Amino acid sequence: MPPASRKPDPRVTSATRSVRPLAITAAVATVSTIALVLAVQRGWLGPDVGRGSGFCEWSFRALVDPASRVVRQPANTFSNLGFVLAGLAIAWRAGRRERLGPTLAARPGLVIALAVVVTLLGPASAAMHATQSDLGGQLDMLSMYLIAALVLAYAVTRLRHGGTGTFVVTFAVAVALSEIADRTGGPIPVLMHTGNLAFASVLLVAVGIEIVLARRGEGVGLRWGAASLAAFGLAFGIWNLGKSAQPWCDPDSLLQPHAAWHVLCALAAYALFRGYAGETDRPQ
């Protein structure tokens, strides 16, 4: 008799490429980018209230009347394309299960979520820098909370050997607490606002958990994890140099430190995904 059929093991590699991750991510990228363009052109995000103006750029002052500019901060806006490309790169690689490692291969929905959230960082951040509107600023901060919460939720889920419930609860609590900190706090030194402090705090907790996971043999791939931390650390240093009060600030230059922050953070996000794909998994 032929052997009884068995449920496919998600750890088994396959050379077949799935188009689902890329198709979903590309659709999100297309729809969100079109929505952003329409929102900027038609003023849907509201008036310019100076959100993000602390990051120096008000480009082309000598060439164009600033009041007539559709995009308030060109370099800081278009550099967010890096997040879209990083999200698409994650989705492309996720189409091959053998490239995901044993842990991510068992969680295909998470890989798509990561690709989508990284992609959305681009249009959300661009919404603030293009318009300097309050709603644009809120979208920018929300996208940051989403990626930080996802990183934390994945770390907590692996730490506790939990399932979807653990991930969802951790993710929702992290986003909610970050939003509360943003809306009830105020200006602070260095990080500028309590919302940024909440974002940094969630990431630091996630890094701490990843260290614990590494010690028990379940951490992210060392090379890519280190690359992600290095890129983000460099990005944070440049982020501080990109403020209007710093000597590196040149409002009319297309070479903006804050634009470099965007590009480096996009690289950090992609490197983190590669680290996840290289993580080890302790036998259950």
Side-chain angles (χ1 to χ4, degrees):
M1 294 179 62
S5 61
R6 299 173 58 187
K7 184 178 180 180
D9 186 348
R11 298 171 189 273
V12 175
T13 61
S14 171
T16 303
R17 174 176 293 280
S18 170
V19 299
R20 186 166 178 261
L22 184 60
I24 293 175
T25 305
V28 170
T30 301
V31 172
S32 60
T33 300
I34 292 174
L36 171 65
V37 171
L38 292 174
V40 172
Q41 289 181 340
R42 302 185 183 185
W44 293 343
L45 296 175
D48 182 343
V49 296
R51 283 291 292 262
S53 60
F55 293 116
C56 183
E57 187 183 16
W58 55 318
S59 196
F60 303 124
R61 179 182 58 177
L63 301 177
V64 182
D65 176 10
S68 67
R69 284 197 311 271
V70 175
V71 176
R72 297 296 194 264
Q73 301 175 28
N76 290 346
T77 296
F78 293 111
S79 57
N80 283 292
L81 177 62
F83 290 114
V84 178
L85 295 177
L88 291 172
I90 292 171
W92 171 258
R93 191 171 182 86
R96 297 286 291 271
R97 178 171 291 181
E98 72 271 17
R99 294 181 175 180
L100 296 179
T103 309
L104 276 188
R107 300 175 171 93
L110 174 67
V111 185
I112 295 175
L114 176 62
V116 166
V117 170
V118 171
T119 298
L120 287 175
L121 282 166
S125 177
M128 179 182 74
H129 293 291
T131 67
Q132 297 187 159
S133 63
D134 182 62
L135 181 55
Q138 292 179 34
L139 290 173
D140 177 43
M141 296 305 299
L142 176 59
S143 68
M144 292 167 57
Y145 301 150
L146 291 177
I147 188 64
L150 189 151
V151 171
L152 176 62
Y154 188 42
V156 170
T157 300
R158 285 154 47 228
L159 179 70
R160 296 177 57 85
H161 295 122
T164 303
T166 301
F167 182 91
V168 170
V169 170
T170 305
F171 179 84
V173 169
V175 172
L177 291 178
S178 297
E179 282 287 356
I180 291 172
D182 186 2
R183 296 174 184 274
T184 61
I188 59 175
V190 183
L191 293 178
M192 302 177 68
H193 194 274
T194 52
N196 291 329
L197 176 61
F199 169 70
S201 298
V202 172
L203 286 181
L204 285 174
V205 173
V207 169
I209 295 175
E210 290 293 347
I211 292 173
V212 173
L213 288 168
R215 288 178 175 175
R216 73 184 196 187
E218 300 174 62
V220 301
L222 181 60
R223 182 180 62 174
W224 284 103
S228 180
L229 280 177
F232 188 78
L234 178 60
F236 177 68
I238 293 175
W239 180 84
N240 277 288
L241 295 173
K243 299 174 185 176
S244 298
Q246 300 301 320
W248 282 30
C249 173
D250 181 356
D252 296 307
S253 175
L254 282 176
L255 299 177
Q256 290 294 324
H258 197 73
W261 151 265
H262 291 151
V263 174
L264 285 168
C265 283
L267 291 174
Y270 178 75
L272 180 62
F273 157 71
R274 293 296 301 271
Y276 286 158
E279 66 196 353
T280 56
D281 203 18
R282 186 175 66 179
Q284 300 296 306

